[in-house]
Amino acid sequence: MTMPQVRMCDVTECYYNQGQVCKALAINVGGSHPQCDTFTPSRQHGGPASIGQVGACKVTQCLYNSDMSCTAPGIDVSHHEQHADCSTYTTR
Ligand code: SF4
């Protein structure tokens, strides 16, 4: 099983965001709500990866969730209130 890529993230205030590209090695997506738990507000930007991947997803009610992992071909992340949400989330 390969980890899906974060194709686009418009949460540019995150440390890991460079030009709407996520540079985290692997993000975690949260529990009762599909939020990016790796979101880190910062004026500085960096990250070790050329493109982020989804390491784990705890949103078991999502169509793409299998064994606490994401099986989507890729995900997009965007703003929801003051945090970042997986916008690829699809209720089963
Ligand atoms: S997907 Fe999450 S960790 Fe990556 S840039 Fe967006 S908010 Fe930050």
Side-chain angles (χ1 to χ4, degrees):
M1 185 176 183
T2 57
M3 294 191 292
Q5 292 184 341
V6 181
R7 294 178 297 210
M8 191 280 298
C9 176
D10 67 11
V11 187
T12 54
E13 67 271 32
C14 177
Y15 174 80
Y16 294 105
N17 196 299
Q18 293 182 50
Q20 300 197 339
V21 176
C22 175
K23 301 282 186 175
L25 272 181
I27 69 164
N28 287 335
V29 178
S32 59
H33 181 86
Q35 69 181 32
C36 175
D37 281 344
T38 311
F39 169 53
T40 306
S42 173
R43 289 187 180 170
Q44 294 187 314
H45 298 280
S50 56
I51 187 164
Q53 296 181 300
V54 185
C57 177
K58 296 173 276 181
V59 189
T60 54
Q61 65 270 33
C62 179
L63 177 68
Y64 297 111
N65 191 290
S66 175
D67 202 16
M68 297 284 197
S69 300
C70 179
T71 65
I75 72 161
D76 298 322
V77 176
S78 57
H79 285 96
H80 179 241
E81 298 174 348
Q82 302 304 312
H83 59 266
D85 266 13
C86 172
S87 52
T88 305
Y89 167 78
T90 304
T91 306
R92 285 184 198 276

